[in-house]
Amino acid sequence: MDWRDEGTLLAVRRHGENAAIIEVFTPAHGRHAGVVPGGASRRLAPLLQPGAQLDLAWRARLEDHLGTFAVEPVRSRAALLGDRRALAALNAVCALLHLTLPEREPHPGLYAATIGLLDRLGDGSDWPPAYVRWELTLLEDLGYGLDLSSCAVTGARDDLAYISPKSGRAVARGAAGDWADRLLPLPACLLGQGPASAGDIAAALRTTGHFLEHRLIPDLGHRPLPEARRRLAALLSREG
């Protein structure tokens, strides 16, 4: 059994004296693990950093075996080590994908969105709005998407200001009434409208975090929201 694909490294751990087990996210083979012989060596260890894009060749005797990877670097993201905010976002992305993606299930649309976001982290652009929309994409791709197209109460498409924490549907400002304080905020950046202030980003992270923590992750078992995601939200919230 063998295949070749490109992927982003999510996690790595030492295996034996000189090998490493890596977990990658690929467009055609989803979240996939394998052993890299020599992965802990001086030559390969610097290449096997979370977020790195790799050319991967996987081989195993049987399909359900762990198998081995031969890897070649495509793109390093080591430059993010000098940017605290971008590194926090990279770690949050890798942690969320590691936790939530089913093993070996393709998610090509989510993969493309992930690469697009990781590219933005290093190009000096205003990436926080793209990050919160990436979390929306993650929720949608895994079957927990929010309906932000129109008001759940009136059907209106204008002045959408809230999200129901139960249904995940948008609610217009005028339709919220006495329920407004029980609804989640819907900042414009979640609708792809900008620009977004630091306060908007913090509000958006509270909203997407609610659905990650109370809808998606509970269905995966008794697991907490990844600490890396909590650190990112705290960092960006302090800026707001």
Side-chain angles (χ1 to χ4, degrees), residues 180-232:
D181 60 351
R182 304 183 189 182
L183 302 175
L184 296 167
L186 175 51
C189 58
L190 284 181
L191 298 171
Q193 303 167 2
S197 68
D200 292 335
I201 296 300
L205 288 171
R206 288 196 300 272
T207 294
T208 55
H210 170 86
F211 291 100
L212 288 169
E213 191 164 15
H214 298 286
R215 297 279 289 277
L216 171 56
I217 291 178
D219 284 352
L220 304 176
H222 298 289
R223 304 180 184 182
L225 193 67
E227 185 58 33
R229 202 279 182 183
R230 294 184 186 276
R231 287 195 296 268
L232 174 64

Side-chain angles (χ1 to χ4, degrees), residues 113-135:
T114 300
I115 295 302
L117 172 61
L118 296 183
D119 287 346
R120 292 196 66 170
L121 295 181
D123 67 10
S125 63
D126 181 27
W127 55 260
Y131 177 85
V132 296
R133 289 194 295 274
W134 176 84
E135 289 197 343

Side-chain angles (χ1 to χ4, degrees), residues 39-184:
S41 67
R42 290 184 178 181
R43 183 181 74 86
L44 287 180
L47 305 178
L48 300 181
Q49 301 297 323
Q53 281 175 250
L54 304 169
D55 182 77
L56 302 154
W58 180 80
R59 177 169 293 181
R61 190 169 65 86
L62 296 174
E63 186 175 6
D64 60 352
H65 285 184
L66 179 62
T68 61
F69 278 123
V71 303
E72 293 292 338
V74 174
R75 183 170 184 178
S76 170
R77 303 196 188 276
L80 299 184
L81 293 174
D83 185 331
R84 183 186 180 196
R85 295 166 77 248
L87 180 61
L90 169 65
N91 289 336
V93 168
C94 291
L96 283 169
L97 291 172
H98 168 75
L99 176 64
T100 63
L101 285 181
E103 192 173 11
R104 303 189 180 190
E105 180 179 291
H107 288 272
L110 178 60
Y111 179 82
T114 300
I115 295 302
L117 172 61
L118 296 183
D119 287 346
R120 292 196 66 170
L121 295 181
D123 67 10
S125 63
D126 181 27
W127 55 260
Y131 177 85
V132 296
R133 289 194 295 274
W134 176 84
E135 289 197 343
L136 286 181
T137 301
L138 175 67
L139 287 164
E140 182 174 0
D141 217 65
L142 296 180
Y144 298 83
L146 309 184
D147 183 356
L148 308 181
S149 60
S150 63
C151 175
V153 179
T154 67
R157 297 179 178 273
D158 299 324
D159 200 25
L160 301 177
Y162 304 101
I163 301 177
S164 166
K166 292 185 177 181
S167 70
R169 294 195 62 188
V171 179
R173 192 180 312 276
D178 294 338
W179 291 86
D181 60 351
R182 304 183 189 182
L183 302 175
L184 296 167

